[in-house]
């Protein structure tokens, strides 16, 4: 059986694309590099939008990348159920593309923050979190300038009542995010946006933990069983 | 259009006065230019010579001294590219090579801290790209005025944001550095940025333009009116009718453009599309064209009208001197130009062919069809003036050295010792730098094995074999002020030791020499002594200097900064999985102190923090002991003897224990064998504290015995406090105990208080 | 050539962490009597030709699709 | 209560990478006829009491010290 193929999109200014590809590989899938200017998703089984500063985060984080030709392919595919994980800048692009609600504003402290962050996984029904136990606490790096999740009150209430908050910050809220929200999912559970970086917690040599691997093994398992 | 000061005009108007003084040129330097050309220079030529012969580009005051790095270079075959290129390249084994270099951006960082620091990172990263390497990490060594001085917050906040803002956007992990506060840097902060790049041996690129007929391509950002104050003088002196807008004093960086440049260059290299490449830094197009031509076939023609401009009003002199960021110049064979431009377009990078390589031995530039530059490029790039400036020890030195800290009251009971441990741990120079380092991405690229607050940054280069490197960047201006020869050696010692305690074999050195005005004989003497000390020590330790940077004129009025050589040492890990961290995280491991402790307090943190005193002599340099300690550490780490290791430097054993306990979350119980004050706070060199895994105590003892490294058993790791006792004839007498929580608060609250 | 200014502000119901951080800082710096700060963006867009209805229409479209994020922001156009 | 608007822009001679990146992107998104974009900040400062000379003086001082960086930026005040 050939391994699942997980695409990793590179936008101009993407930074964690190689790291995301490594995490996909460690989880047992084949990473497929995808180029923002192409029109072809190359038949991948799932897609990761990696972290970074696409277009320098100029204007607004994710605002320009959202117009990439490949996004025109990705948005309908995601609506049709393709699993998509947006990490950090990827999360910002997903919000700008309206695949996920809300927006990410500059950190409340007005500084870039890089720290090993404790999180609680609150939704284990998504395509990317099935390998975690509900309420499981993990430590994963966070590193961003614009990580403050914001939405209007109705959207927020809807996210909470439908259990679409995927992960929350514990101990410290590093960026002023509403409801300590670190990640959310769409209604169908196939699109997930995360501010923390699970791809930097997949090897004990280079990460604070290997707690992030579950996001990648979740999708691999799902694709294999599909 | 105004008249152009072409070569033919220059020939017709030999007596025309020229503003060479305003451009910082001496009378005799100007005369030499006239001799070289056999006529007066055009204003464009004057622009080129004035920047290329500036202190910054020509190293005219430092050259005679820097030669020692080559003359005294240790015998080695690890240097694939030595000094003189954009950065040295070191063989780290398995076909891999590493290039690294540190550079200053001090003055711009005082004027506009954010942009000054940001463009400092940008500049050093381009040096590394131009060697053919992929940049893989950055480091930064920072010095500010006192933490509580009125202007420090502005400079500190801006500089840290700038380093982070630029480096984070490039996707380069920041893996270490320094933050030092001292009144000597109050109006003259030091911002030294280091970049590390990795490449295969066969991928090395050089800054040379060989092959007549090959095309010269300028790519990256447009050329704008950045950093051309001098050129405006020239332009307005020559073209009075032109109303020259105010030119910016500040260069602004575009990290997004630089990130694209990195990826674009790497793709160009992968397809082998360049025969020579050079980044544009200080002196911009002047520097890139003269250096490329001088190192190549010898000639080049350039059409300055082909340079893409951000500001259409720029005069040719201004184009030549512009220091706009994020630009590179490549030499490409004609057949490959279309593919080259295609790759630039893919990365959305503007690129234009601006000239061609020739074998005429002349650099010729045209502007609207007229020849405005016609000169032998070597004369601008390499044959600048060289000065042996007068030097003599600073008048105050003897008194300074005589004022030994021996006169200061020392903590004399357990309570005073305890308070001193906490006081030092909370002092701005020794306090946690988390406020700074949490603004830097240390994870990106996924190869960071150790980073702040560890002794060195450690990176994995090869996923399969575990090949890796370690880097540390250190300086100590107080030591160098007291004795510059020793001061430079002590900085090298510390960086060398920091690399070795992680288990890496120290290999090579880069340096950034931050000094006052070379026209001050006292400063010049300090500089010469520091260079001599560094060259001698590099020879003794067998680690060659691969490159570096000199920053002069760091002073306020006539008061220079403390002389501050900042030294970077690169080490190699054959298998990075065997690296050792400073964290006390394994209960029950045995703590040993390696090395000999003498009562050395000259220039110490203790004297600085408790009394604000600086005097006496710095700790004794002992390179033989340093090399012995390193051999113990490298072998011991590889063999898996150590659960933790931390070097001793500023603040001595006290500070090392505090840091290792807090890092690992475990306390320790130590018994000091002699004078507790000296044991805790002396800054003797060539020492480290190690936690030995159970069962390996004998192996370590044998290893140390063989190397000639003294060993003192201190105690054990464990518990949740730092417990210190004194060995007496009656046994161990408890001195004091500090809960980790109390230590943590002392250590971690200082910087946020001043900076937040 | 004319200049159209686009002012982009967060919707009033959206929390503005940047503005709040500034407002919090003011009393520490000795500035009293400020009850709130909100931070937004200002774009100066240079159009080719006059700022006529067509040009304004184009800038409005740019503001809607790119310069402002309608989920959280509102914008206003002004000719300067 | 009154509102003072502070517009902060980079000085004209200072490079604006953000504005340039936006301007470069517009033609690719199908927007023609834009010759330049510059991006700045807009602050809405609410003052306690009327926007009289004293209040404006205070906001000006805040703009100088906190909202704008006088080395590279200029600012303008406006009462709304
Ligand atoms: N400006 C900085 N940038 C990155 N890391 C820094 C900086 N300043 C300090 N650090 C890191 O903080 C830690 C403590 O610094 P320091 O006490 O100077 O270390 P050492 O004495 O071992 O050289 C080190 O890991 C160092 O690399
Ligand atoms: Mg150290």
């Amino acid at each position: 059986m050939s391994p699942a193929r997980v695409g990793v999109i590179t936008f101009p200014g993407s930074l964690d694309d190689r790291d995301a590809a490594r995490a996909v590989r460690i989880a047992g899938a084949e990473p497929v590099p995808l180029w923002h200017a192409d029109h072809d998703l190359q038949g991948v089984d799932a897609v990761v939008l990696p972290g970074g500063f696409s277009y320098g985060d100029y204007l607004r984080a994710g605002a320009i990348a959202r117009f990439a030709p490949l996004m025109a392919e990705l948005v309908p595919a995601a609506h049709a159920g393709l699993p998509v994980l947006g990490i950090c800048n990827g999360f910002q692009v997903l919000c700008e593309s309206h695949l996920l609600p809300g927006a990410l504003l500059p950190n409340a402290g007005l500084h870039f923050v890089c720290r090993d962050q404790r999180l609680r996984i609150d939704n284990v029904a998504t395509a990317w979190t099935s390998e975690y136990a509900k309420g499981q606490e993990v430590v994963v790096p966070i590193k961003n300038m614009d990580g403050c999740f914001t939405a209007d009150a109705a959207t927020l209430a809807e996210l909470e009542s439908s259990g679409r908050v995927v992960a929350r910050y514990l101990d410290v809220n590093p960026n002023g995010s509403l409801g300590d929200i670190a990640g959310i999912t769409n209604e169908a559970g196939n699109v997930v946006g995360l501010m923390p970086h699970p791809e930097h917690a997949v090897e004990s040599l280079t990460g604070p933990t290997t707690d992030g691997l579950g996001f990648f093994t979740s999708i691999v398992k799902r694709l294999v069983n599909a | 259009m105004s008249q152009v000061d072409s070569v033919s005009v220059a020939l017709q108007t030999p007596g025309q006065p020229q503003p060479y003084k305003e451009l910082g040129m001496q009378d005799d330097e100007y005369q030499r230019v006239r001799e070289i050309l056999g006529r007066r220079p055009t204003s464009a030529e004057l622009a080129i010579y004035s920047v290329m012969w500036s202190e910054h580009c020509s190293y005219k005051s430092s050259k005679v001294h820097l030669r020692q790095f080559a003359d005294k270079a240790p015998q080695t075959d690890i240097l694939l590219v030595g000094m003189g290129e954009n950065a040295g390249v070191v063989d780290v084994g398995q076909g891999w090579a590493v290039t690294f270099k540190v550079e200053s951006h001090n003055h711009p960082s005082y004027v506009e801290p954010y942009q000054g620091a940001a463009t400092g990172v940008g500049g050093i990263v381009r040096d590394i790209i131009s060697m053919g390497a992929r940049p893989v990490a950055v480091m930064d060594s920072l010095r500010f005025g006192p933490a509580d001085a009125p202007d420090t917050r502005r400079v500190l906040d801006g500089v840290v944001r700038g380093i982070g803002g630029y480096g984070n956007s490039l996707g380069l992990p920041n893996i270490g550095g320094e933050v030092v506060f001292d009144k000597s840097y109050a109006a003259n902060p030091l911002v030294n940025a280091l970049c590390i790049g990795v490449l295969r041996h066969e991928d090395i690129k050089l800054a040379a333009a060989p092959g007549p007929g090959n095309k010269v391509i300028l790519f990256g950002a447009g050329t704008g009116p950045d950093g051309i104050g001098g050129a405006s003088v020239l332009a307005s002196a020559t073209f009075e009718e032109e109303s020259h807008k105010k030119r910016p004093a500040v260069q602004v960086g575009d990290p997004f453009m630089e990130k694209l440049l990195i990826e674009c260059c790497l793709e160009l290299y992968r397809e082998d599309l360049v025969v020579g490449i050079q980044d544009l830094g200080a002196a911009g197009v002047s520097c890139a064209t003269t250096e490329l031509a001088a190192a190549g076939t010898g000639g080049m023609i350039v059409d300055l009208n082909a340079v893409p401009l951000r500001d259409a009003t720029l005069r040719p002199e201004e184009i030549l001197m512009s220091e706009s960021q994020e630009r590179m110049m490549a030499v490409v064979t004609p057949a490959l130009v279309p593919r080259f431009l295609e790759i630039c377009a893919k990365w959305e990078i503007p690129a234009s062919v601006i000239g061609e390589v020739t074998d005429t031995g002349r650099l010729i530039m045209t502007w609207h069809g007229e020849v405005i530059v016609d000169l032998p490029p070597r004369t601008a790039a390499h044959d600048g003036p060289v000065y042996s400036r007068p030097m003599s020890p600073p008048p105050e030195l003897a008194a300074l050295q005589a004022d030994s800290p021996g006169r200061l009251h020392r903590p004399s009971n357990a309570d005073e010792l305890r308070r001193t441990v906490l006081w030092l741990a909370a002092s701005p120079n020794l306090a946690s730098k988390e406020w700074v380092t949490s603004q830097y991405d240390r994870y990106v690229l996924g190869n960071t094995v150790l980073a702040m607050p560890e002794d060195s940054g450690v990176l994995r280069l090869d996923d399969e074999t575990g090949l890796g490197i370690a880097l540390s960047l250190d300086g100590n201006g107080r030591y160098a002020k007291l004795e510059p020869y020793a001061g430079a050696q002590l900085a090298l010692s510390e960086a060398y030791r920091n690399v070795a305690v992680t288990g890496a074999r120290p290999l090579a050195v880069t340096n950034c020499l931050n000094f006052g005005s070379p026209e001050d004989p006292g400063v010049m003497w300090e500089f010469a002594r520091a260079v001599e000390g560094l060259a001698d020590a590099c020879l003794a330790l067998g680690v060659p200097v691969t490159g570096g940077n000199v920053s002069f004129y760091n002073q306020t009025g006539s008061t220079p900064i403390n002389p501050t050589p900042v030294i970077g040492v690169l080490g190699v890990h054959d298998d990075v999985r065997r690296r050792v961290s400073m964290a006390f995280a394994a209960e029950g491991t045995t703590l040993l102190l390696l090395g000999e402790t003498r009562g050395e307090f000259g220039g110490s943190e203790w004297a600085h923090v408790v009394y604000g005193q600086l005097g006496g002599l710095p700790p004794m340099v002992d390179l033989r002991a340093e090399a012995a300690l390193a051999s113990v550490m490298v072998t011991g780490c590889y063999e898996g003897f150590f659960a933790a290791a931390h070097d001793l430097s500023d603040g001595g054993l006290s500070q090392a224990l505090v840091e290792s306990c807090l890092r690992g979350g475990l306390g320790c119980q130590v018994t000091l064998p002699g004078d507790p004050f000296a044991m805790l706070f002396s800054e003797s060199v060539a020492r480290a504290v190690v936690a030995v895994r159970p069962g390996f105590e004998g192996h370590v003892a044998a290893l140390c015995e063989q190397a000639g490294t003294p060993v003192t058993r201190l105690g054990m790791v464990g518990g949740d406090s730092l417990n210190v006792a004194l060995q007496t004839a009656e046994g161990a007498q408890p001195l004091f105990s500090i809960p980790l929580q109390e230590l943590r608060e002392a250590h971690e609250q200082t910087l946020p208080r001043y900076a937040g | 050539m004319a200049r159209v200014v686009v002012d982009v502000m967060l919707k009033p119901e959206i929390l503005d962490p940047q503005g709040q951080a500034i407002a919090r800082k003011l009393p520490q710096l000795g500035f009293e009597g400020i009850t709130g700060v909100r931070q937004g963006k200002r774009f100066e867009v240079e159009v080719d030709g006059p700022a006529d209805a067509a040009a304004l229409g184009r800038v409005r479209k740019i503001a809607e699709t790119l310069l402002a994020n309608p989920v959280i922001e509102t914008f206003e156009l002004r000719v300067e």
Side-chain angles (χ1 to χ4, degrees), chain B residues 189-239:
Chain B
L190 301 186
V191 175
N192 293 180
L194 177 146
C195 182
I196 309 135
V198 174
L199 64 167
R200 302 292 300 173
H201 287 186
E202 60 274 19
D203 293 338
I204 294 173
K205 296 283 176 295
L206 296 179
N214 284 341
K215 300 295 180 190
V216 178
I217 300 181
L218 183 62
F219 63 117
T223 297
D226 305 283
I228 53 175
S232 304
V233 171
L234 230 182
S236 53
T238 320
F239 308 100

Side-chain angles (χ1 to χ4, degrees), chain B residues 138-142 144 160 163 174-180 429-434 436-437 440 451-457 471-475 494-495 498 582 646-650 655 659:
Chain B
V138 295
M139 300 178 89
D140 58 318
S141 163
L142 311 178
F144 305 99
V160 170
I163 302 262
N174 186 312
I175 59 169
E178 301 181 278
V179 180
V180 176
N429 287 342
L430 298 182
S432 166
K433 301 303 183 307
E434 172 94 19
V436 172
T437 59
Y440 302 156
M452 315 68 100
E454 296 285 346
D455 288 320
S456 302
L471 263 134
S472 180
L473 197 53
D474 292 282
E494 184 180 351
N498 274 326
M582 70 193 250
H646 191 10
D647 87 304
L648 269 55
S649 56
D650 308 348
Q655 184 64 16
E659 291 172 356

Side-chain angles (χ1 to χ4, degrees), chain A residues 18-19 58 110 114 116 143, chain B residues 134 254 438 441 443 445:
Chain A
R18 283 179 205 80
D19 317 40
Y58 296 161
L110 307 186
C114 176
D116 298 341
K143 35 166 228 177
Chain B
R134 171 177 280 285
D254 182 350
S438 67
D441 181 350
Y443 284 110
L445 297 181

Side-chain angles (χ1 to χ4, degrees), chain B residues 512-537:
Chain B
C512 188
L513 305 174
N514 305 277
F515 287 77
S517 165
E519 296 158 42
D520 174 340
V523 169
M524 205 56 223
W525 179 86
E526 290 173 337
F527 179 81
R529 292 289 293 161
V531 170
E532 192 182 348
L534 181 57
D536 289 346

